[in-house]
Amino acid sequence: MKEISKIKEAKLWIKPHLKKGLRIGFVPTMGALHEGHLRLIRQSKQENDITVCSIFVNPVQFNNPDDLAKYPRNIVQDARMLKSNGCDMLFSPEVEEMYPDGKTPNNDIEFGMLDKVMEGKFRPGHFKGVVIVVRKLFDILSPSNAYFGKKDYQQLMVITRMKEILGLPVNIIGCETVREDDGLAMSSRNLRLTIGERQVARRIFEVLCKVREKGSKTPVWELKEWANKKIQEDSRFRVEYFEIAERETLMPIENWGQKTQAVALTAVYLGDVRLIDNVELFS
Ligand code: AMP
């Protein structure tokens, strides 16, 4: 596996593959890799000629400096995992390489409410940062297919919309959330849970599953109220939001009406670790 940290070198490495008409699959990450990331790598390998992974802890998408400082980093182990899963190239630039002199590219895309609800509301500027970095990475690596996890459902919708608005020649592919045996969605942030917190973390997915089960038999407001209460029965949990929304627009649903394509999404603090998860309803 080729390891590259400079933009110029990455473009040079990609160029001959593009010339040959090879399909480049791309998996953007922030590292501290786990099976969730590796599943994306393996899917990319199946569907493309070349697979590239990026590791970049993108400072401009963190609204909380403490979260950025505590974000786990383990590039040596990450590179080993990527290599053994057949990744062809790892692009891991420094911050100065991506944003020289601390300057970030302009981002003037209008997403309407899509980037303002839920994660957009509680992490102001987060999606602006995500869009800046993904757009820049697409520009450097020219992927045919780019792989994103449904674990970050709103991010997947924002990137899909960005592709449509800019008319980018890349397919955005959403991949199912990979979970631990007890149902907890795999996340680099899980490493920050204490042993006690890790043991109870399954509650988030359990409540989401129960909401899926109750489904449209229960009014939306009642489901949301029940879910909030149920998660917070254990005082170590604090729900930031629990929302039921249309899948593509992520506009909150107030009553079921004709809506058949919904998703339940939540962000929960367990101790001081912020976890997000979601399940699609009625699929
Ligand atoms: P991150 O490193 O957290 O920015 O994640 C990089 C990519 O991996 C994003 O597209 C995430 O949605 C995806 N991802 C992270 N965790 C999981 C998971 N448990 N299952 C599926 N995809 C995931």
Side-chain angles (χ1 to χ4, degrees):
M1 181 181 73
K2 184 77 182 165
E3 292 181 39
I4 296 177
S5 63
K6 299 289 179 209
I7 294 173
K8 227 176 172 173
E9 199 192 330
K11 285 186 174 172
L12 273 176
W13 189 87
I14 293 283
K15 210 170 164 185
H17 299 305
L18 288 178
K19 266 199 173 151
K20 282 192 224 156
L22 299 182
R23 283 163 309 173
I24 293 166
F26 175 43
V27 180
T29 81
M30 297 202 298
L33 301 183
H34 50 66
E35 181 58 25
H37 299 109
L38 298 178
R39 215 56 88 77
L40 306 189
I41 296 285
R42 292 199 285 272
Q43 185 166 342
S44 168
K45 278 204 62 79
Q46 275 177 8
E47 297 172 359
N48 300 277
D49 304 300
I50 299 286
T51 289
V52 176
C53 177
S54 66
I55 295 182
F56 180 62
V57 183
N58 178 31
V60 301
Q61 73 185 66
F62 283 81
N63 54 315
N64 177 347
D66 192 45
D67 192 24
L68 173 62
K70 288 188 179 152
Y71 201 85
R73 293 160 210 247
N74 200 343
I75 191 84
V76 176
Q77 186 181 314
D78 288 347
R80 210 179 302 134
M81 288 162 92
L82 288 171
K83 207 167 161 183
S84 63
N85 279 273
C87 180
D88 298 289
M89 194 260 267
L90 165 60
F91 179 55
S92 56
E94 295 293 333
V95 173
E96 181 60 22
E97 179 71 6
M98 291 292 275
Y99 308 128
D101 303 320
K103 289 199 188 92
T104 53
N106 276 342
N107 167 31
D108 46 12
I109 305 175
E110 182 46 66
F111 289 99
M113 287 310 286
L114 184 60
D115 65 343
K116 296 181 186 68
V117 292
M118 294 180 287
E119 292 301 288
K121 178 173 165 194
F122 288 100
R123 301 184 68 191
H126 169 64
F127 288 120
K128 205 174 161 75
V130 169
V131 166
I132 285 172
V133 78
V134 173
R135 201 171 164 181
K136 185 154 179 141
L137 289 167
F138 281 0
D139 182 54
I140 298 166
L141 301 164
S142 311
S144 317
N145 298 306
Y147 296 82
F148 293 85
K150 286 191 185 175
K151 151 89 172 25
D152 299 277
Y153 201 91
Q154 195 172 2
Q155 169 173 279
L156 172 62
M157 294 306 140
V158 167
I159 299 296
T160 304
R161 185 77 64 82
M162 172 188 91
K163 172 235 145 85
E164 286 163 5
I165 291 172
L166 299 176
L168 301 178
V170 55
N171 300 311
I172 306 298
I173 297 168
C175 308
E176 293 305 321
T177 300
V178 181
R179 299 180 178 282
E180 303 285 358
D181 288 343
D182 66 352
L184 175 66
M186 288 190 183
S187 164
S188 310
R189 288 189 173 86
N190 296 350
L191 294 171
R192 290 179 45 211
L193 296 172
T194 63
I195 295 171
E197 286 164 352
R198 176 63 194 84
Q199 277 167 355
V200 296
R202 61 167 61 164
R203 177 180 285 262
I204 300 167
F205 184 55
E206 277 171 3
V207 169
L208 281 165
C209 288
K210 202 78 195 155
V211 163
R212 183 170 56 193
E213 205 179 298
K214 289 176 181 254
S216 58
K217 296 187 289 284
T218 314
V220 179
W221 67 267
E222 201 179 308
L223 264 184
K224 292 202 291 190
E225 204 174 281
W226 176 83
N228 265 287
K229 239 193 188 148
K230 191 76 195 162
I231 294 174
Q232 293 179 146
E233 265 175 9
D234 182 327
S235 63
R236 285 169 284 190
F237 292 84
R238 183 170 66 78
V239 176
E240 196 165 61
Y241 64 80
F242 190 102
E243 200 49 87
I244 293 177
E246 284 181 344
R247 284 199 204 167
E248 269 179 38
T249 62
L250 292 183
M251 289 308 291
I253 290 174
E254 263 148 40
N255 50 62
W256 294 120
Q258 298 300 310
K259 311 262 174 18
T260 52
Q261 294 284 294
V263 57
L265 311 101
T266 189
V268 176
Y269 276 96
L270 177 47
D272 67 350
V273 183
R274 187 176 185 275
L275 303 172
I276 57 170
D277 201 353
N278 65 82
V279 296
E280 288 170 324
L281 308 176
F282 323 126
S283 42

